[in-house]
Amino acid sequence: MGNSRAYPVFRTTDASAAYTQAMRLCALLVECDDEVGLFAELRTVADVRQMAAVLPEANFDSVGMRTGSVGEDVWFGLDVATADDASWEAHLPLGVTEHVPRGSVEERFVAALGEGVAAIDWHGLWPDEPEANRYGDAMYDGVQVVFHGERAQLSRWTEHHTVFVHVTNRGDLPRAQKLAAHIGSEVLGEKQLGW
């Protein structure tokens, strides 16, 4: 068990270029889950409105726990469709996490991103390579693009967008190198804890 190991294989300040490279890698998966995972941190009311247009059924929530003036927990409860801008301002930043059918909204999701950290995760299965004693593993394999981040486990904001390939829970540098070469790149750093 445990987490996959994620290798950064592409980094850019152009979100659409990162998405394009991630899709090129997804095309190499011999199997890809029917759903993709989406996450976005929304820092402005405009970001919330744009993302609500892409994900109208999504649950938006506060990023982190909030407390009121006397220390009580404050829960987010606004209706995305009816809340006014002033109501949104009091709750920013907001986060949204959704699983959607693969191919349904990913491009519009990328176009709606603001300046917050965001990610798209595609779980799947890399092809077997018996001659190299390398086999795909549906529990760990896949592609991830992190917008405004350089860590597979979402963390601090950066201006860069990073594409990761996820492999076994022990790591597989040769496979990561081969996948990076497919998009004309190379492994850009040490393996990281993945999903």
Side-chain angles (χ1 to χ4, degrees):
M1 296 305 255
N3 294 70
S4 67
R5 294 303 179 256
Y7 292 89
V9 296
F10 185 77
R11 190 168 287 131
T12 180
T13 56
D14 181 341
S16 62
Y19 175 74
T20 298
Q21 295 301 347
M23 292 308 299
R24 289 182 63 203
L25 289 164
C26 285
L28 298 177
L29 293 166
V30 293
E31 292 179 22
C32 192
D33 288 359
D34 292 337
E35 288 189 330
V36 299
L38 306 175
F39 168 79
E41 176 190 64
L42 309 166
R43 296 181 172 189
T44 69
V45 171
D47 292 349
V48 174
R49 297 266 181 231
Q50 289 177 173
M51 198 56 69
V54 174
L55 302 171
E57 303 298 318
N59 292 318
F60 293 78
D61 207 350
S62 299
V63 173
M65 289 300 300
R66 305 256 172 120
T67 56
S69 59
V70 292
E72 77 280 13
D73 289 339
V74 175
W75 299 100
F76 178 77
L78 295 177
D79 179 352
V80 175
T82 61
D84 62 28
D85 289 359
S87 297
W88 285 116
E89 283 290 337
H91 292 280
L92 295 174
L94 291 174
V96 61
T97 302
E98 278 294 300
H99 284 86
V100 299
R102 181 170 33 95
S104 63
V105 299
E106 293 96 310
E107 288 182 23
R108 291 185 300 135
F109 177 84
V110 173
L113 292 175
E115 288 298 311
V117 175
I120 304 175
D121 300 340
W122 295 269
H123 292 257
L125 185 67
W126 297 118
D128 290 340
E129 298 176 25
E131 68 286 353
N133 198 28
R134 187 173 296 125
Y135 298 91
D137 190 322
M139 181 178 289
Y140 303 113
D141 294 352
V143 178
Q144 177 186 41
V145 58
V146 176
F147 301 96
H148 293 296
E150 296 179 349
R151 305 291 305 168
Q153 296 278 326
L154 306 180
S155 63
R156 69 178 180 82
W157 185 94
T158 72
E159 66 182 30
H160 296 98
H161 315 295
T162 307
V163 177
F164 293 90
V165 293
H166 288 254
V167 295
T168 71
N169 62 344
R170 297 172 311 282
D172 186 342
L173 181 59
R175 183 185 291 270
Q177 290 169 326
K178 185 175 180 177
L179 293 166
H182 177 76
I183 60 170
S185 188
E186 59 189 26
V187 172
L188 303 174
E190 296 296 318
K191 64 185 174 187
Q192 301 177 20
L193 188 64
W195 48 53

